[in-house]
């Protein structure tokens, strides 16, 4: 079983990764306006997220609007909504499981079961990290592809928003936490329970003699 210090570090990394996924899911900063080429109008800029699109004036005033329909959204946005929410749910569940199976808690009294519980939590954090990296990478690929497309006008091009980088960072933190848990929470190959049972069975039959 891994040390208590490693488990505490994994909990901290998991909590930070979960916060990053929540910020990435809620904040409308996946795509921002690009001011390149002949597009020198800086009086307002647009910001797009998973749930809303916002227009920010040069005076600081911001107006946001929800998307009209789910069916008109691009496929990458629809997938990002589902994957980030699933990642949040798996991260929360994995952290709760980790708290139950950690060495610094007494929720589980069976010491042999704690490594298995921590291992399940590590696998869940790995899965949550992968689920958040996929949508942000997909969205970043589409933004870069459209930015380099000469057929798209300069005023319609977008750049990578802050949520893309936050999502990458959150995914790396979750992967790191899950990897550490999987490495330091391997169940022991041998168990004393079977040996004790073997001797107790032999002791219960004193009348038998073996040559």
């Amino acid at each position: 079983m891994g040390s208590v210090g490693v488990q505490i570090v994994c909990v901290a990394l998991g909590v930070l990764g979960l916060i990053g996924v929540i910020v990435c899911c809620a904040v409308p900063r996946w795509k921002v306006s690009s001011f390149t080429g002949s597009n020198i109008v800086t009086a307002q800029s647009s910001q797009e997220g998973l749930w809303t699109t916002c227009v920010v004036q040069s005076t600081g005033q911001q107006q946001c609007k929800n998307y009209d329909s789910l069916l008109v959204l691009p496929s990458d946005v629809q997938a990002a909504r589902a994957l980030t929410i699933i990642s949040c749910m798996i991260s929360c569940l994995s952290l709760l499981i980790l708290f139950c199976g950690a060495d610094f808690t007494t929720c589980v009294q069976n010491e042999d079961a704690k490594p298995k519980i921590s291992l399940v939590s590590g696998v869940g954090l790995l899965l949550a990290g992968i689920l958040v990296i996929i949508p942000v990478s997909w969205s970043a690929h589409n933004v870069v592809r459209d930015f380099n497309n000469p057929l798209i006008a300069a005023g319609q091009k977008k750049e990578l928003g802050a949520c893309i980088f936050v999502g990458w960072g959150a995914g790396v933190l979750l992967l790191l936490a899950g990897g550490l848990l999987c490495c330091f929470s391997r169940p022991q190959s041998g168990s004393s329970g079977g040996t004790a049972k073997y001797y107790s069975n032999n002791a219960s039959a004193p009348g038998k003699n073996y040559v």
Side-chain angles (χ1 to χ4, degrees):
M1 186 63 184
S3 62
V4 176
V6 173
Q7 293 178 349
I8 293 176
V9 170
C10 291
V11 170
L13 293 176
V15 171
L16 291 177
L18 175 60
I19 294 174
V21 176
I22 294 175
V23 171
C24 183
C25 180
V27 177
R29 293 278 294 179
W30 284 61
K31 302 177 184 178
V32 296
S33 298
S34 174
F35 301 102
T36 58
S38 59
N39 186 23
I40 59 175
V41 180
T42 60
Q44 65 180 17
S45 61
S46 63
Q47 303 173 357
E48 298 180 9
L50 298 182
W51 312 97
T52 59
T53 176
C54 300
V55 176
V56 181
Q57 306 291 336
S58 59
T59 58
Q61 184 180 4
Q62 180 176 346
Q63 296 179 350
C64 296
K65 176 185 177 183
N66 295 329
Y67 293 110
D68 295 332
S69 174
L70 175 64
L71 301 179
V72 300
L73 294 177
S75 57
D76 60 327
V77 177
Q78 296 182 18
R81 284 184 173 186
L83 292 178
T84 51
I85 291 177
I86 295 175
S87 178
C88 289
M89 296 173 62
I90 295 179
S91 299
C92 292
L93 182 60
S94 299
L95 288 174
L96 290 176
I97 294 175
L98 177 57
F99 275 112
C100 294
D103 286 342
F104 54 85
T105 60
T106 58
C107 298
V108 178
Q109 300 296 334
N110 189 355
E111 295 295 332
D112 294 334
K114 283 189 174 183
K116 300 177 182 180
I117 296 175
S118 298
L119 183 60
V120 171
S121 175
V123 174
L125 291 175
L126 286 175
L127 180 59
I130 294 174
L131 289 178
V132 71
I133 288 178
I134 290 175
V136 294
S137 300
W138 188 0
S139 180
H141 168 73
N142 291 341
V143 171
V144 173
R145 181 197 61 192
D146 295 340
F147 185 85
N148 295 324
N149 189 355
L151 300 179
I152 298 179
Q156 299 178 353
K157 292 184 178 181
K158 303 293 183 181
E159 292 185 359
L160 300 178
C163 287
I164 298 293
F165 302 99
V166 173
W168 277 329
V172 170
L173 291 177
L174 292 174
L175 289 177
L176 184 58
L180 288 175
L181 284 176
C182 291
C183 292
F184 288 91
S185 300
R186 296 178 180 177
Q188 297 179 357
S189 57
S191 179
S192 60
T195 305
K197 184 177 181 181
Y198 172 78
Y199 285 112
S200 64
N201 290 337
N202 289 341
S204 63
K208 294 183 179 180
N209 296 324
Y210 298 91
V211 179

